[in-house]
Amino acid sequence: MATGLTISTGRRADGASMVTASGEIDLSNIDAFAAALDDASTERDGATVTVDLSGVEYLDSGGINVLFAHADDIHVIANPVLMPVLKISGLTDVASVESAGPRGD
C-alpha cells in the first residue's frame, strides 16, 4: 500500500525554487519526490532550492539518497524528528540543513 505524501513546488518571494513535502517519503513514492527535486533544480537559475520537510514524519534511505544527489543545490528545513537521521547519514555535513522547530537533537 502506498504511503501518503503530498508534494508541492513553487517559488519563494525572492523567486527561488521551493519544494514542500508532507507525509512519509519511502520506496512507494520516492520517484515523485526525486522528480520534484530534479525539476526544481533544473529551474533554479543558480539559486539554492529550499526543500521544506517540516511536514515529513518519516524519511527512508531512498529519500536521503535523493537529498544527497542534490546536496550542493539545496537548503533543507527538516521536521525535528528527522534531524538525528540527517546528522547520522552525513547530510548535514554536505548540505545546508536546519531544524524547523526547537532543537532537541
Side-chain angles (χ1 to χ4, degrees):
M1 176 154 83
T3 305
L5 176 66
T6 302
I7 302 171
S8 62
T9 58
R11 299 233 176 236
R12 296 184 333 199
D14 64 2
S17 295
M18 182 166 194
V19 175
T20 303
S22 61
E24 297 184 359
I25 300 173
D26 63 19
L27 183 61
S28 70
N29 53 38
I30 195 65
D31 291 339
F33 181 61
L37 277 181
D38 288 344
D39 290 347
S41 292
T42 300
E43 299 173 3
R44 70 187 181 91
D45 296 327
T48 299
V49 176
T50 300
V51 182
D52 185 348
L53 303 180
S54 60
V56 173
E57 300 156 2
Y58 176 79
L59 178 69
D60 76 1
S61 61
I64 292 170
N65 286 335
V66 169
L67 293 172
F68 265 103
H70 295 279
D72 292 338
D73 306 324
I74 60 173
H75 171 74
V76 179
I77 302 169
N79 183 327
V81 74
L82 300 179
M83 289 304 293
V85 74
L86 296 177
K87 285 183 179 182
I88 290 169
S89 72
L91 187 70
T92 57
D93 296 331
V94 297
S96 171
V97 180
E98 71 174 286
S99 177
R103 287 195 159 321
D105 42 38

